[in-house]
Amino acid sequence: MSLFGSDLEKVRNADLVVYTAAISQDDPELLEANKLNIKTCERAVFLGKLTKAFKDTIGISGTHGKTTTTSLVSLCFIKAGFDPTVQVGAILKQLNGNYRIGNSDFLILEACEYVESFLHFHPKAEIVLNIDNDHLDYFKNLDNIKNAFTKYIGLLPDDGLLVYNADDKNSIGLNKHTKAKSVTFGIENSNADFIAKNIKFDKNGFASFDVYHLGEFLDNFSLSISGMHNVLNAMACIALCTNYGISTSAIKEAFVSFTGANRRLEYKGSFNNISVYDDYAHHPTEIKATAAALNRKIFNESWVVFQPHTYSRLKNLLDDFTESLLDFDHIILTDVYAAREKNIFNISSKDLADKMIALGKPALYIPNFEDIVKFLKANTHSEDIILTLGAGTVTNIGPMLVNKKFIES
C-alpha cells in the first residue's frame, strides 16, 4: 500500500500493474490484480525492459547520492541539447516531476542496488558513487553488497563506460570486472582521472572548486547545493559528461541552475527567524554528510528530528546511527517508519535515544508529531536551524512548523 492508500478502481482499469520490491504480497492492490488475472510486473523488471529499448542507457548507482547525481547528469544532457529520457527518484523542479520523455537514444536513470534490482538493466554507461553497508535485511553483509555491484559492472558492453569513485575504498578495483572504458573521480585520491582542488564554501555552504583532468586544469565549477558530498556527486557528473562530449560551459550552467531535488536539504520555510530544512537521509553515512553540509551554514544552534527507516536498519546500524547524530546540538527521535517491515527485531527509537544519553548527549524520544512541533516552538530561538531527517513521514513536520494555521491553533 502506498502512502496515499489503495485505489482498487485504478487496478481494475489497468492492463498492467507495476509494483516495487518494497510492496508486500498481501498488498490490497496487488491482491486485486491477481484476483482479476491482470498482469503484474516488478518495477525493476519493467525498468529493465525499458532500458533495453534505448541504445544508450546511463545508470547512476551507489548507496548514497543517486538522486542528486542523476539530477545533475540529466540537467547537463538537457542543457547540451541531447534531449534525454529521464527517471529520477525525487521531484525535480526543472522537470516538473520525476521523469522526462525525450526524443533521443539516451535514458538516464537511478540504478538501485536493493534486492539487486539494477541487475535487470541494460546499461551502456554506469556511475558508481560509493558502496556502503545498507539494505542488510536483504544483503546480510557488505561482501554481498560488493558482489552485487561486481555483477552490475559486468553488465557493461565492451564499448561502454564506467565512472567510479577513486576515494571510496569499496569501489576501488571495480574496473577489473569490465572491458569497458573506466574513468575515476575524486577529491583525496591524487591518482583520480578527474580531481577537485581548491574547494571553497560560501555562507550557504555552496562549493566552488577547480577541476583537473589527467593533471591539466579543466575549469572552475560552482554549485547551488551545499556539502562536500555534493562536490563528489558533481565530480561524477563532470567525469561522465566530459566523456560524452558535453562542454564545460553547459555543465557549469546546469550546476548553477540546480538548487536540489526535493527532500535533499530542502528549505521548507521559517518561523520566528528559525530556518526549517528537510532531508531524506536515512543511513548513518548520509546523516553525517547532511550534518556536515548543514554545519557549513551560518546559524545559532541546530535541532534535528530523526525518524529511523525500517527496524532492521536501526538494529543492524544502531551504533553507527548513534555516532552519526552527534554532530547536531539538539536531537529529537520519533518512532521508526516501518515501511515494509514488522518489528520482529525488538528495537525502537527509544533505544537510540538511550544510547545517545549514555554517551552524554541529550536526546529526546517524542513519538507524536504535534508534540514535537509544540516542543520546538517552545524551545528554539532566533537564528536556530531545524532539520527533519528520514525517508518516511517525518517530512510532514516541516510544513507543520511553518504553517501559520498550526501556529495559531
Side-chain angles (χ1 to χ4, degrees):
M1 185 182 295
S2 74
L3 288 172
F4 306 103
S6 298
D7 188 341
L8 299 186
E9 194 59 36
K10 285 185 177 179
V11 172
R12 293 169 188 141
N13 294 324
D15 297 314
L16 174 69
V17 173
V18 180
Y19 62 94
T20 75
I23 293 295
S24 64
Q25 291 302 304
D26 61 355
D27 176 80
E29 293 177 339
L30 193 57
L31 289 174
E32 185 71 6
N34 291 331
K35 174 185 171 184
L36 299 174
N37 293 316
I38 296 171
K39 289 183 179 180
T40 63
C41 184
E42 203 277 321
R43 178 179 178 271
V45 176
F46 179 80
L47 278 177
K49 294 179 183 297
L50 187 63
T51 64
K52 201 171 184 178
F54 287 80
K55 292 182 180 178
D56 206 323
T57 292
I58 300 169
I60 287 82
S61 69
T63 312
H64 321 293
K66 291 186 291 293
T67 296
T68 295
T69 308
T70 303
S71 300
L72 288 170
V73 171
S74 299
L75 293 179
C76 288
F77 271 63
I78 292 168
K79 184 66 68 174
F82 285 11
D83 198 12
T85 295
V86 175
Q87 175 67 55
V88 64
I91 300 300
L92 184 58
K93 69 179 183 181
Q94 287 90 344
L95 304 184
N96 196 29
N98 68 335
Y99 70 93
R100 177 184 192 271
I101 306 298
N103 186 25
S104 73
D105 290 328
F106 297 111
L107 170 62
I108 302 168
L109 79 168
E110 295 186 32
C112 181
E113 76 277 11
Y114 181 58
V115 299
E116 299 181 302
S117 293
F118 54 11
L119 298 187
H120 293 283
F121 297 175
H122 299 269
K124 179 70 176 294
E126 297 175 351
I127 289 177
V128 179
L129 296 164
N130 42 63
I131 302 173
D132 202 354
N133 230 351
D134 198 14
H135 300 304
L136 296 177
D137 57 321
Y138 174 79
F139 286 113
K140 309 305 180 187
N141 57 56
L142 181 59
D143 285 341
N144 289 336
I145 299 171
K146 291 166 71 173
N147 186 52
F149 275 90
T150 296
K151 289 186 284 186
Y152 176 58
I153 301 306
L155 299 177
L156 283 169
D158 290 355
D159 62 345
L161 173 67
L162 170 64
V163 176
Y164 69 96
N165 185 354
D167 288 352
D168 180 55
K169 63 181 181 180
N170 294 322
S171 299
I172 293 173
L174 285 176
N175 59 313
K176 297 176 183 178
H177 305 288
T178 181
K179 293 181 180 179
K181 178 181 179 179
S182 64
V183 176
T184 57
F185 64 91
I187 296 173
E188 299 173 358
N189 190 334
S190 60
N191 293 319
D193 298 319
F194 289 81
I195 189 164
K197 298 182 179 181
N198 306 319
I199 303 168
K200 299 176 182 177
F201 294 89
D202 66 15
K203 65 179 182 180
N204 294 310
F206 301 163
S208 62
F209 50 95
D210 295 330
V211 173
Y212 287 78
H213 178 215
L214 300 177
E216 298 292 327
F217 176 72
L218 181 65
D219 213 326
N220 178 268
F221 296 83
S222 296
L223 301 178
S224 299
I225 48 178
S226 57
M228 186 67 80
H229 63 295
N230 279 323
V231 175
L232 270 175
N233 292 336
M235 289 299 297
C237 176
I238 292 167
L240 181 129
C241 290
T242 300
N243 274 274
Y244 271 84
I246 296 177
S247 67
T248 58
S249 61
I251 297 172
K252 290 168 72 170
E253 285 183 44
F255 282 6
V256 171
S257 72
F258 180 63
T259 55
N262 76 318
R263 303 221 57 214
R264 272 64 179 182
L265 206 53
E266 180 183 9
Y267 177 69
K268 305 301 292 186
S270 66
F271 68 95
N272 300 335
N273 200 33
I274 298 163
S275 297
V276 180
Y277 289 83
D278 180 50
D279 196 275
Y280 188 76
H282 54 285
H283 182 280
T285 301
E286 296 167 352
I287 292 170
K288 287 187 72 66
T290 302
L294 192 78
N295 285 330
R296 291 189 183 277
K297 297 182 181 293
I298 298 173
F299 58 88
N300 180 30
E301 291 188 315
S302 63
W303 300 74
V304 65
V305 182
F306 176 55
Q307 180 185 48
H309 187 267
T310 71
Y311 299 105
S312 60
R313 185 181 281 114
L314 180 59
K315 179 74 172 181
N316 288 317
L317 301 174
L318 183 61
D319 290 339
D320 295 326
F321 275 118
T322 303
E323 196 271 334
S324 70
L325 291 165
L326 294 176
D327 290 332
F328 298 100
D329 297 318
H330 304 277
I331 301 154
I332 297 172
L333 301 163
T334 194
D335 282 334
V336 175
Y337 184 75
R340 55 190 174 269
E341 294 184 342
K342 294 181 180 179
N343 190 7
I344 62 173
F345 302 91
N346 192 31
I347 192 80
S348 76
S349 295
K350 189 176 183 303
D351 296 313
L352 180 54
D354 290 342
K355 288 276 290 185
M356 305 206 72
I357 292 169
L359 290 176
K361 186 76 173 184
L364 294 173
Y365 166 61
I366 307 177
N368 183 274
F369 284 6
E370 289 196 3
D371 290 340
I372 291 173
V373 172
K374 290 174 182 176
F375 178 85
L376 287 170
K377 288 188 175 297
N379 291 277
T380 51
H381 302 92
S382 178
E383 297 187 6
D384 281 358
I385 197 165
I386 297 171
L387 173 68
T388 55
L389 197 61
T393 52
V394 71
T395 189
N396 295 329
I397 292 176
M400 293 168 69
L401 284 164
V402 302
N403 189 307
K404 291 183 179 180
K405 289 183 179 180
F406 185 87
I407 294 170
E408 294 165 356
S409 65

mmCIF file of all heavy atoms in Angstrom, residues 134-151:
data_model
loop_
_atom_site.group_PDB
_atom_site.id
_atom_site.type_symbol
_atom_site.label_atom_id
_atom_site.label_comp_id
_atom_site.label_asym_id
_atom_site.label_seq_id
_atom_site.Cartn_x
_atom_site.Cartn_y
_atom_site.Cartn_z
ATOM 1 N N ASP A 134 24.349 -1.210 3.583
ATOM 2 C CA ASP A 134 22.939 -0.834 3.674
ATOM 3 C C ASP A 134 22.077 -1.969 3.132
ATOM 4 O O ASP A 134 22.591 -2.908 2.517
ATOM 5 C CB ASP A 134 22.675 0.455 2.900
ATOM 6 C CG ASP A 134 21.362 1.135 3.305
ATOM 7 O OD1 ASP A 134 20.797 0.763 4.348
ATOM 8 O OD2 ASP A 134 20.911 2.033 2.584
ATOM 9 N N HIS A 135 20.778 -1.871 3.393
ATOM 10 C CA HIS A 135 19.822 -2.904 2.969
ATOM 11 C C HIS A 135 20.256 -4.280 3.469
ATOM 12 O O HIS A 135 20.182 -5.280 2.752
ATOM 13 C CB HIS A 135 19.689 -2.913 1.444
ATOM 14 C CG HIS A 135 19.215 -1.625 0.861
ATOM 15 N ND1 HIS A 135 18.028 -1.030 1.253
ATOM 16 C CD2 HIS A 135 19.756 -0.796 -0.076
ATOM 17 C CE1 HIS A 135 17.863 0.088 0.573
ATOM 18 N NE2 HIS A 135 18.890 0.266 -0.219
ATOM 19 N N LEU A 136 20.681 -4.309 4.738
ATOM 20 C CA LEU A 136 21.171 -5.570 5.298
ATOM 21 C C LEU A 136 20.053 -6.574 5.540
ATOM 22 O O LEU A 136 20.326 -7.756 5.776
ATOM 23 C CB LEU A 136 21.949 -5.301 6.590
ATOM 24 C CG LEU A 136 23.229 -4.465 6.396
ATOM 25 C CD1 LEU A 136 23.893 -4.192 7.735
ATOM 26 C CD2 LEU A 136 24.199 -5.164 5.454
ATOM 27 N N ASP A 137 18.795 -6.118 5.496
ATOM 28 C CA ASP A 137 17.679 -7.061 5.565
ATOM 29 C C ASP A 137 17.700 -8.010 4.375
ATOM 30 O O ASP A 137 17.235 -9.145 4.463
ATOM 31 C CB ASP A 137 16.350 -6.316 5.617
ATOM 32 C CG ASP A 137 16.146 -5.366 4.442
ATOM 33 O OD1 ASP A 137 17.129 -4.721 4.042
ATOM 34 O OD2 ASP A 137 15.003 -5.255 3.952
ATOM 35 N N TYR A 138 18.282 -7.555 3.269
ATOM 36 C CA TYR A 138 18.410 -8.395 2.078
ATOM 37 C C TYR A 138 19.836 -8.918 1.903
ATOM 38 O O TYR A 138 20.049 -10.117 1.730
ATOM 39 C CB TYR A 138 17.995 -7.607 0.835
ATOM 40 C CG TYR A 138 18.246 -8.353 -0.453
ATOM 41 C CD1 TYR A 138 17.373 -9.342 -0.869
ATOM 42 C CD2 TYR A 138 19.363 -8.074 -1.253
ATOM 43 C CE1 TYR A 138 17.601 -10.062 -2.043
ATOM 44 C CE2 TYR A 138 19.598 -8.787 -2.420
ATOM 45 C CZ TYR A 138 18.718 -9.771 -2.813
ATOM 46 O OH TYR A 138 18.959 -10.476 -3.962
ATOM 47 N N PHE A 139 20.833 -8.028 1.973
ATOM 48 C CA PHE A 139 22.203 -8.408 1.646
ATOM 49 C C PHE A 139 22.925 -9.152 2.771
ATOM 50 O O PHE A 139 23.876 -9.883 2.513
ATOM 51 C CB PHE A 139 23.019 -7.172 1.260
ATOM 52 C CG PHE A 139 22.702 -6.629 -0.100
ATOM 53 C CD1 PHE A 139 22.096 -5.392 -0.264
ATOM 54 C CD2 PHE A 139 23.010 -7.352 -1.239
ATOM 55 C CE1 PHE A 139 21.804 -4.887 -1.516
ATOM 56 C CE2 PHE A 139 22.731 -6.860 -2.507
ATOM 57 C CZ PHE A 139 22.121 -5.624 -2.643
ATOM 58 N N LYS A 140 22.548 -8.903 4.007
ATOM 59 C CA LYS A 140 23.142 -9.550 5.185
ATOM 60 C C LYS A 140 24.523 -9.014 5.552
ATOM 61 O O LYS A 140 24.834 -8.846 6.731
ATOM 62 C CB LYS A 140 23.241 -11.085 5.023
ATOM 63 C CG LYS A 140 21.943 -11.749 4.611
ATOM 64 C CD LYS A 140 20.805 -11.437 5.549
ATOM 65 C CE LYS A 140 19.513 -12.115 5.113
ATOM 66 N NZ LYS A 140 18.350 -11.702 5.925
ATOM 67 N N ASN A 141 25.392 -8.741 4.571
ATOM 68 C CA ASN A 141 26.730 -8.231 4.878
ATOM 69 C C ASN A 141 27.280 -7.437 3.697
ATOM 70 O O ASN A 141 26.737 -7.481 2.580
ATOM 71 C CB ASN A 141 27.688 -9.371 5.261
ATOM 72 C CG ASN A 141 27.799 -10.431 4.175
ATOM 73 O OD1 ASN A 141 28.133 -10.134 3.025
ATOM 74 N ND2 ASN A 141 27.518 -11.684 4.533
ATOM 75 N N LEU A 142 28.376 -6.724 3.970
ATOM 76 C CA LEU A 142 28.982 -5.854 2.957
ATOM 77 C C LEU A 142 29.530 -6.639 1.773
ATOM 78 O O LEU A 142 29.464 -6.170 0.626
ATOM 79 C CB LEU A 142 30.088 -5.017 3.599
ATOM 80 C CG LEU A 142 30.827 -4.036 2.686
ATOM 81 C CD1 LEU A 142 29.854 -3.028 2.079
ATOM 82 C CD2 LEU A 142 31.923 -3.300 3.468
ATOM 83 N N ASP A 143 30.057 -7.831 2.008
ATOM 84 C CA ASP A 143 30.606 -8.622 0.908
ATOM 85 C C ASP A 143 29.545 -8.929 -0.139
ATOM 86 O O ASP A 143 29.831 -8.902 -1.348
ATOM 87 C CB ASP A 143 31.203 -9.931 1.449
ATOM 88 C CG ASP A 143 32.534 -9.715 2.142
ATOM 89 O OD1 ASP A 143 33.161 -8.666 1.893
ATOM 90 O OD2 ASP A 143 32.933 -10.573 2.933
ATOM 91 N N ASN A 144 28.333 -9.209 0.304
ATOM 92 C CA ASN A 144 27.250 -9.485 -0.644
ATOM 93 C C ASN A 144 26.869 -8.236 -1.438
ATOM 94 O O ASN A 144 26.526 -8.329 -2.624
ATOM 95 C CB ASN A 144 26.026 -10.024 0.093
ATOM 96 C CG ASN A 144 26.236 -11.435 0.611
ATOM 97 O OD1 ASN A 144 27.059 -12.189 0.097
ATOM 98 N ND2 ASN A 144 25.502 -11.805 1.653
ATOM 99 N N ILE A 145 26.946 -7.074 -0.780
ATOM 100 C CA ILE A 145 26.671 -5.815 -1.484
ATOM 101 C C ILE A 145 27.731 -5.587 -2.563
ATOM 102 O O ILE A 145 27.408 -5.254 -3.714
ATOM 103 C CB ILE A 145 26.644 -4.639 -0.492
ATOM 104 C CG1 ILE A 145 25.551 -4.840 0.555
ATOM 105 C CG2 ILE A 145 26.433 -3.317 -1.221
ATOM 106 C CD1 ILE A 145 25.588 -3.831 1.688
ATOM 107 N N LYS A 146 28.993 -5.761 -2.182
ATOM 108 C CA LYS A 146 30.075 -5.568 -3.145
ATOM 109 C C LYS A 146 29.970 -6.549 -4.308
ATOM 110 O O LYS A 146 30.226 -6.193 -5.472
ATOM 111 C CB LYS A 146 31.424 -5.723 -2.430
ATOM 112 C CG LYS A 146 31.707 -4.594 -1.449
ATOM 113 C CD LYS A 146 32.856 -4.912 -0.499
ATOM 114 C CE LYS A 146 34.182 -4.919 -1.188
ATOM 115 N NZ LYS A 146 35.298 -5.077 -0.198
ATOM 116 N N ASN A 147 29.552 -7.758 -4.021
ATOM 117 C CA ASN A 147 29.392 -8.753 -5.076
ATOM 118 C C ASN A 147 28.277 -8.361 -6.044
ATOM 119 O O ASN A 147 28.390 -8.577 -7.258
ATOM 120 C CB ASN A 147 29.086 -10.120 -4.457
ATOM 121 C CG ASN A 147 29.046 -11.227 -5.487
ATOM 122 O OD1 ASN A 147 29.976 -11.395 -6.276
ATOM 123 N ND2 ASN A 147 27.961 -11.994 -5.489
ATOM 124 N N ALA A 148 27.211 -7.738 -5.507
ATOM 125 C CA ALA A 148 26.120 -7.263 -6.369
ATOM 126 C C ALA A 148 26.618 -6.191 -7.329
ATOM 127 O O ALA A 148 26.278 -6.199 -8.526
ATOM 128 C CB ALA A 148 24.971 -6.729 -5.521
ATOM 129 N N PHE A 149 27.446 -5.281 -6.823
ATOM 130 C CA PHE A 149 27.998 -4.233 -7.687
ATOM 131 C C PHE A 149 28.953 -4.827 -8.719
ATOM 132 O O PHE A 149 29.008 -4.357 -9.869
ATOM 133 C CB PHE A 149 28.701 -3.158 -6.849
ATOM 134 C CG PHE A 149 27.778 -2.098 -6.329
ATOM 135 C CD1 PHE A 149 27.156 -2.244 -5.109
ATOM 136 C CD2 PHE A 149 27.502 -0.967 -7.083
ATOM 137 C CE1 PHE A 149 26.283 -1.269 -4.624
ATOM 138 C CE2 PHE A 149 26.635 0.008 -6.620
ATOM 139 C CZ PHE A 149 26.019 -0.142 -5.387
ATOM 140 N N THR A 150 29.698 -5.845 -8.329
ATOM 141 C CA THR A 150 30.587 -6.512 -9.282
ATOM 142 C C THR A 150 29.784 -7.084 -10.448
ATOM 143 O O THR A 150 30.159 -6.943 -11.620
ATOM 144 C CB THR A 150 31.372 -7.642 -8.584
ATOM 145 O OG1 THR A 150 32.222 -7.075 -7.582
ATOM 146 C CG2 THR A 150 32.223 -8.412 -9.582
ATOM 147 N N LYS A 151 28.653 -7.708 -10.133
ATOM 148 C CA LYS A 151 27.785 -8.256 -11.179
ATOM 149 C C LYS A 151 27.191 -7.134 -12.035
ATOM 150 O O LYS A 151 27.032 -7.289 -13.259
ATOM 151 C CB LYS A 151 26.681 -9.112 -10.552
ATOM 152 C CG LYS A 151 27.189 -10.426 -9.968
ATOM 153 C CD LYS A 151 26.056 -11.310 -9.495
ATOM 154 C CE LYS A 151 25.469 -10.848 -8.179
ATOM 155 N NZ LYS A 151 24.447 -11.799 -7.648
#
